[in-house]
Amino acid sequence: MKRTYNLSKILIFYKLPLNFISFIFLTIFFFLILTSKSYSVDCDATYPVSAPKGGQCDLTNSGSTVSAGATIAIAAPQAWQVKVGNNSSSLTNNGTINFDANPQGVFVDVGLTLGELINTGSMTSTAPEMIDNEGTITFLNNSGTLNSNGAPETISNTGTITRMRNTGTLVNFEFTNIGGTIQTLENNDPNLAIVGDNPINYEIIVDSTSDYGKYDGNASTGSMSFSINDTSTIEVGTYSNVISNVTAGDLEGEDGGTYEGCNWSLTNDGADNWSLVVSECSSSGSSGSSGSGDSSSNPTNDTDVVGSLEVQVSNVKNSFTQSVGMISNRLSYLRANRKDTNLSKQNQKTNFNNALLTSLSETLMTTISNNKSNKIIPDEWSSWTEGSVSISKIGDTTNSSRKEIDTQSIAFGFDKKINQGEIFGYAFQFNQSETDIGSNGSSIDGKNLNVSVYRSKSLKNNNFIEGSIGLGKLKNDIDRKSGSDTLTGSRDGKQLFGSVNFGKTIDKGNFDLTPTFRFDLGYTELDEYQEVGTNALFYDDQHIQSGMASLGLSFNNIVKLSNSSLKPFGSIEYGLDMSDSSDTKINYVSDTSTQYTYKHDVNSEHMVTSVVGFNFETKDNLLISSSYTRIQGEKHEHTDALKFGINFKSKRETEYAMQFGGSEDLTAGINIAKNVNGFDLQLTLDQEFNENHDKNAEISMIKKF
């Protein structure tokens, strides 16, 4: 900051009589003698008592200190300024400094460095720029009070502040950092705001759940990383509004991390506001605790609670993917068999899943003849069905109990050709699941019903576009064991999902090559619910967003033989999972003031799925189908699936079907079906080749009306 002088006043001073000048000097001399015992004018001295300070002071390497209990009143601009060549200088205030109506109380000029500026007392100002830094301040540490009394720019930084630590109190505070650099900002005050550029590194200081720093970006710009200062003390819970008015594009570190054995993350509360969520602390006994039944404990440390929450989210995503997937399968079938006149298809799948991989097996069987199908639906419509049974076992983790999931689903669909290149249809899907959680008896029974409409349209140059949209209703009946107590609850949900698929069919006669790009979206809202029982929990409503973008290439080929045909097929697809993480907020019914948050992690973002297989058909009603599927995730996880099926219909209208498949746990089965006088008789035998060697047999007789 440049200093200015009034030349006219200096000239007038020289025109004064000599006696008057002598009187002024004598007055100053006697004033200094009288006050020398109580106040030193040495800029590098320690100021032990209260006194006014006049004039400017050049800080040297020995520094200046205002002692505790002393009050210094300053009536000059740039009261303390760094002297050239004294980059180790310092200013320490342990008392009170009152800056009067003059700017630049502490001034660091361009190219100069103030080593330390430490305030443990009180600094007040009625003038702008209490601290004006145009050079470098190596360390600015405020553990006292900075009060501007409404004056602008308590701190004005156009230079560099290497490190600033604020654990004190800010009153009427204004901090401008326009064109300047703040390398690291450590803060415990809830009222810290900056105008201009964000600090490069922001470290929150947390002393308790009610005493922690808050930073208001005030529409500032620039990339800023977030972390927890190493002097902090944290515990499980939510620290609201730790950052405000900072966009996600400027904020780094929202994915979270660990601190002193605790997992933390930032959650967007909307309008560029962020809260710090500490979800788990190993020191609080999160590992292995289950069903404590203590209302003072953190429910997110209960492995059965976490397991239940994970199952609910998993059921939502499975419902979404199954609903979109079944229609995608149907449309793929229509493309591959577009030259056929009868497009009705009845398909049953049996899936055996575990934590490592998913195995699939399929039994193909026609339970309703074409003649009967035509009596149910009009001639121009085709019908299709798809059913599945899924058995999943997921082992326990540090945070969650083991889970055994049995799922059954059935889908019915109808579609028609509007013209040669356009198909319209609709489908219904019902899904139910039974899940055992942990070893204490906790469980979830889930049901959902979906309805979808879909359409496929041919475009120019063999391009096509396919789309579907659907609505669903979900219901979960939840039982949770906590010690000897049983807590019950019921949770409903609503689901909206859709899919758009763009592709091109490269027709080479009996060989088709189809590149595709598919985009799937799903949104689910789970209602709030409250448990009934001892130490019951209340769960806030939950919003789950699912998204998947897929880029794929598939082929179909037909090799015609004398009395049969061979149809090889295959595909490869890259999928990008864009699903957002989902948080669940929980509190005890008996304590609504304390809220806990559990964060649901997203799955692997990148996956590659490849399929290769064939269908072999003869004129003697023999169908052999086989395929191999490989799903590879980004974190070395993978899924291998083998499918093999045989379907034969004799001249006596007796149908024989065999299936074999699996990966880690192999399964085999045989099915025999025959229609006798309108009754469908069916015998099913299943064998599992695992450590349990489970065997199942089923005989049924069904009459359709």
Side-chain angles (χ1 to χ4, degrees):
M1 187 71 65
K2 295 182 179 179
R3 289 172 284 181
T4 59
Y5 300 90
N6 194 323
L7 184 59
S8 62
K9 292 183 179 180
I10 295 176
L11 294 175
I12 293 173
F13 179 83
Y14 280 111
K15 293 179 181 180
L16 294 175
L18 181 60
N19 291 338
F20 183 76
I21 296 174
S22 300
F23 173 78
I24 293 176
F25 277 106
L26 288 172
T27 301
I28 295 174
F29 176 77
F30 282 109
F31 175 79
L32 294 175
I33 293 176
L34 293 173
T35 59
S36 60
K37 294 183 180 181
S38 62
Y39 179 66
S40 173
V41 296
D42 186 356
C43 290
D44 299 313
T46 297
Y47 301 91
V49 296
S50 301
K53 178 186 180 300
Q56 297 171 342
C57 178
D58 290 333
L59 291 169
T60 65
N61 289 340
S62 57
S64 292
T65 301
V66 177
S67 300
T71 300
I72 306 299
I74 303 173
Q78 304 173 3
W80 277 285
Q81 60 181 357
V82 179
K83 187 177 181 180
V84 176
N86 293 276
N87 291 336
S88 298
S89 61
S90 65
L91 174 61
T92 302
N93 175 46
N94 298 319
T96 300
I97 300 178
N98 295 322
F99 296 96
D100 292 337
N102 290 291
Q104 298 95 38
V106 179
F107 176 65
V108 183
D109 206 348
V110 177
L112 302 181
T113 299
L114 176 61
E116 290 184 340
L117 174 55
I118 300 173
N119 177 53
T120 65
S122 175
M123 298 174 64
T124 63
S125 176
T126 58
E129 301 176 349
M130 176 192 298
I131 301 172
D132 182 12
N133 177 48
E134 300 178 12
T136 299
I137 298 178
T138 304
F139 183 34
L140 198 165
N141 186 5
N142 175 52
S143 59
T145 300
L146 298 179
N147 187 354
S148 68
N149 284 325
E153 295 185 308
T154 310
I155 299 178
S156 174
N157 180 56
T158 57
T160 298
I161 299 176
T162 306
R163 178 190 175 197
M164 177 177 174
R165 181 177 177 86
N166 177 53
T167 57
T169 303
L170 308 176
V171 182
N172 298 317
F173 187 82
E174 181 175 331
F175 194 161
T176 61
N177 185 46
I178 302 176
T181 299
I182 304 173
Q183 188 68 39
T184 300
L185 175 59
E186 308 164 14
N187 177 53
N188 178 253
D189 191 273
N191 301 305
L192 178 61
I194 291 182
V195 178
D197 299 316
N198 291 314
I200 297 176
N201 303 296
Y202 176 72
E203 298 181 4
I204 186 175
I205 300 175
V206 180
D207 290 335
S208 69
T209 55
S210 60
D211 186 6
Y212 54 90
K214 297 181 180 180
Y215 172 74
D216 185 356
N218 202 20
S220 297
T221 59
S223 178
M224 180 181 78
S225 67
F226 175 89
S227 61
I228 300 175
N229 188 262
D230 58 10
T231 63
S232 299
T233 301
I234 66 174
E235 58 185 281
V236 173
T238 299
Y239 302 79
S240 302
N241 300 320
V242 296
I243 297 177
S244 57
N245 297 313
V246 176
T247 65
D250 286 339
L251 185 60
E252 300 176 3
E254 61 267 29
D255 292 337
T258 59
Y259 176 84
E260 297 293 329
C262 297
N263 296 330
W264 65 267
S265 62
L266 290 177
T267 60
N268 195 324
D269 300 329
D272 297 329
N273 296 327
W274 304 82
S275 293
L276 172 65
V277 179
V278 181
S279 58
E280 175 195 358
C281 292
S282 57
S283 60
S284 63
S286 60
S287 61
S289 73
S290 177
S292 66
D294 184 2
S295 62
S296 64
S297 63
N298 185 351
T300 63
N301 295 334
D302 189 320
T303 56
D304 278 8
V305 171
V306 174
S308 174
L309 295 174
E310 290 179 344
V311 169
Q312 294 177 53
V313 174
S314 177
N315 287 344
V316 166
K317 294 185 176 181
N318 289 339
S319 174
F320 160 65
T321 56
Q322 287 181 356
S323 300
V324 172
M326 69 179 185
I327 294 180
S328 179
N329 293 338
R330 173 60 178 175
L331 293 173
S332 297
Y333 174 82
L334 292 175
R335 289 197 307 272
N337 299 273
R338 61 187 180 276
K339 298 178 183 179
D340 296 345
T341 57
N342 181 17
L343 295 175
S344 295
K345 182 184 182 184
Q346 279 68 46
N347 181 32
Q348 290 184 345
K349 294 179 182 179
T350 303
N351 305 329
F352 295 90
N353 303 331
N354 54 38
L356 298 177
L357 50 95
T358 303
S359 66
L360 305 173
S361 64
E362 180 176 333
T363 303
L364 300 176
M365 160 181 90
T366 303
T367 57
I368 305 176
S369 67
N370 292 331
N371 291 332
K372 290 184 177 180
S373 297
N374 291 332
K375 294 179 182 179
I376 299 175
I377 59 176
D379 293 338
E380 66 270 17
W381 286 81
S382 299
S383 67
W384 59 275
T385 63
E386 183 171 313
S388 68
V389 176
S390 175
I391 302 174
S392 302
K393 295 181 180 180
I394 303 174
D396 58 354
T397 65
T398 304
N399 307 318
S400 177
S401 300
R402 64 179 180 88
K403 294 170 280 288
E404 296 184 6
I405 308 171
D406 296 341
T407 305
Q408 306 87 37
S409 66
I410 183 69
F412 305 90
F414 307 90
D415 47 46
K416 65 176 293 188
K417 287 186 177 181
I418 300 177
N419 50 54
Q420 190 60 31
E422 194 168 354
I423 294 175
F424 170 81
Y426 58 92
F428 304 91
Q429 183 193 38
F430 176 76
N431 181 83
Q432 66 177 15
S433 62
E434 299 176 359
T435 305
D436 294 329
I437 304 170
S439 57
N440 296 328
S442 299
S443 64
I444 294 180
D445 291 337
K447 297 180 176 65
N448 68 274
L449 178 65
N450 294 329
V451 58
S452 309
V453 294
Y454 57 92
R455 191 163 184 168
S456 176
K457 182 177 179 61
S458 297
L459 306 176
K460 295 181 178 179
N461 300 321
N462 290 327
N463 294 313
F464 63 86
I465 181 173
E466 301 169 343
S468 65
I469 187 170
L471 297 171
K473 181 73 173 178
L474 302 96
K475 182 177 180 60
N476 292 305
D477 294 323
I478 306 163
D479 291 341
R480 181 171 67 89
K481 294 290 185 178
S482 178
S484 59
D485 300 319
T486 300
L487 299 100
T488 60
S490 181
R491 191 178 204 181
D492 296 336
K494 299 176 288 293
Q495 192 171 58
L496 173 66
F497 56 89
S499 177
V500 178
N501 186 26
F502 301 90
K504 180 181 180 66
T505 301
I506 303 174
D507 192 348
K508 299 295 184 181
N510 292 327
F511 180 82
D512 291 342
L513 190 65
T514 307
T516 59
F517 173 75
R518 192 174 80 249
F519 196 65
D520 305 329
L521 286 176
Y523 176 80
T524 305
E525 179 178 342
L526 294 178
D527 297 340
E528 63 183 31
Y529 78 100
Q530 178 176 311
E531 295 176 334
V532 177
T534 305
N535 292 324
L537 293 172
F538 174 83
Y539 300 79
D540 204 354
D541 60 355
Q542 185 177 353
H543 305 270
I544 304 171
Q545 301 180 39
S546 306
M548 176 71 76
S550 305
L551 185 65
L553 181 68
S554 62
F555 74 88
N556 292 277
N557 192 23
I558 301 177
V559 180
K560 294 183 179 180
L561 306 175
S562 58
N563 294 312
S564 59
S565 64
L566 180 66
K567 297 181 178 179
F569 61 87
S571 66
I572 185 169
E573 182 179 82
Y574 164 76
L576 176 63
D577 193 342
M578 299 175 293
S579 303
D580 287 341
S581 60
S582 176
D583 295 342
T584 302
K585 298 184 182 300
I586 313 169
N587 62 264
Y588 286 97
V589 176
S590 58
D591 181 14
T592 59
S593 62
T594 304
Q595 193 172 65
Y596 307 89
T597 301
Y598 179 76
K599 185 178 182 65
H600 302 267
D601 295 328
V602 296
N603 298 324
S604 297
E605 293 184 353
H606 308 278
M607 281 187 290
V608 176
T609 302
S610 57
V611 180
V612 62
F614 68 89
N615 292 321
F616 179 75
E617 299 181 29
T618 71
K619 293 182 178 180
D620 297 327
N621 295 319
L622 175 65
L623 172 63
I624 300 175
S625 177
S626 180
S627 69
Y628 169 76
T629 302
R630 172 84 174 192
I631 303 175
Q632 182 71 54
E634 66 183 88
K635 301 177 180 178
H636 305 290
E637 74 270 27
H638 66 273
T639 298
D640 294 300
L642 175 65
K643 178 178 68 178
F644 180 79
I646 298 178
N647 195 96
F648 175 70
K649 192 170 186 179
S650 70
K651 294 181 179 180
R652 294 190 172 193
E653 300 297 316
T654 301
E655 189 170 296
Y656 304 90
M658 185 191 73
Q659 55 86 19
F660 175 82
S663 51
E664 186 183 30
D665 295 334
L666 297 177
T667 63
I670 186 170
N671 184 285
I672 303 175
K674 182 178 177 63
N675 185 275
V676 180
N677 297 326
F679 289 88
D680 289 329
L681 304 178
Q682 185 167 301
L683 170 66
T684 302
L685 301 174
D686 293 312
Q687 171 72 60
E688 296 183 13
F689 299 96
N690 54 27
E691 60 182 6
N692 298 320
H693 299 286
D694 292 338
K695 301 179 177 68
N696 299 289
E698 180 179 342
I699 301 176
S700 64
M701 182 175 66
I702 302 173
K703 173 68 175 179
K704 300 181 176 66
F705 301 93

